[in-house]
Amino acid sequence: MDDPRPAPTPSALTAPYWAACARGGLAIQRCAACARFVHLPRPACPYCGGDELPFTPVRGDGVVHTFTVVHRAFLPGFAPPYALAWIDLPEGARVFGDVTGCPPAAVRIGMPVRVHFTDRPGFGPMPHWRPL
Ligand SMILES: [Zn+2]
């Protein structure tokens, strides 16, 4: 049965991110000029305007900055309730994703989490976060 959820559509800008996921890791843009991590992917650094932003592997752990629990599905294929969160990485970037591996009601601000990947049939590995 086909998965009705929309799949990511990698662009030239985001393809390295998804390629890292396919290798089982997380990679975030890092500005070659000011060394800050940048996410979501951008063509130029929001801090200094630098336009060299190679994707750089990160450890894949972080802390929940904030989150919401979704109780209503607006698209077919999603199974609420589920938790969506902004995750602060120790490298300085903030990434977005769902928190799995615990009940949504157990997610807390400040909770340590680690990335993991599940295979999305027809697309490939997709990142999620779960409590440490
Ligand atoms: Zn920069």
Side-chain angles (χ1 to χ4, degrees):
M1 184 173 172
D2 288 338
D3 189 332
R5 296 174 300 170
T9 305
S11 66
L13 183 62
T14 63
Y17 174 85
W18 294 113
C21 290
R23 295 188 300 270
L26 201 60
I28 303 295
Q29 284 181 306
R30 187 172 197 183
C31 179
C34 74
R36 293 185 76 167
F37 281 86
V38 174
H39 192 72
L40 301 168
R42 297 168 188 242
C45 176
Y47 306 107
C48 77
D51 61 0
E52 278 188 60
L53 296 152
F55 282 80
T56 305
V58 294
R59 291 183 354 206
D61 55 6
V63 173
V64 173
H65 174 79
T66 192
F67 70 98
T68 189
V69 177
V70 177
H71 290 277
R72 180 180 295 182
F74 292 97
L75 293 171
F78 289 88
Y82 55 89
L84 297 175
W86 284 104
I87 309 295
D88 287 333
L89 305 183
E91 291 87 357
R94 182 172 291 157
V95 300
F96 186 76
D98 60 339
V99 179
T100 62
C102 69
V107 177
R108 295 287 181 264
I109 291 172
M111 185 169 78
V113 290
R114 176 164 293 148
V115 72
H116 69 107
F117 298 87
T118 60
D119 188 59
R120 171 77 184 276
F123 179 75
M126 296 200 46
H128 310 277
W129 298 86
R130 63 181 165 209
L132 286 178

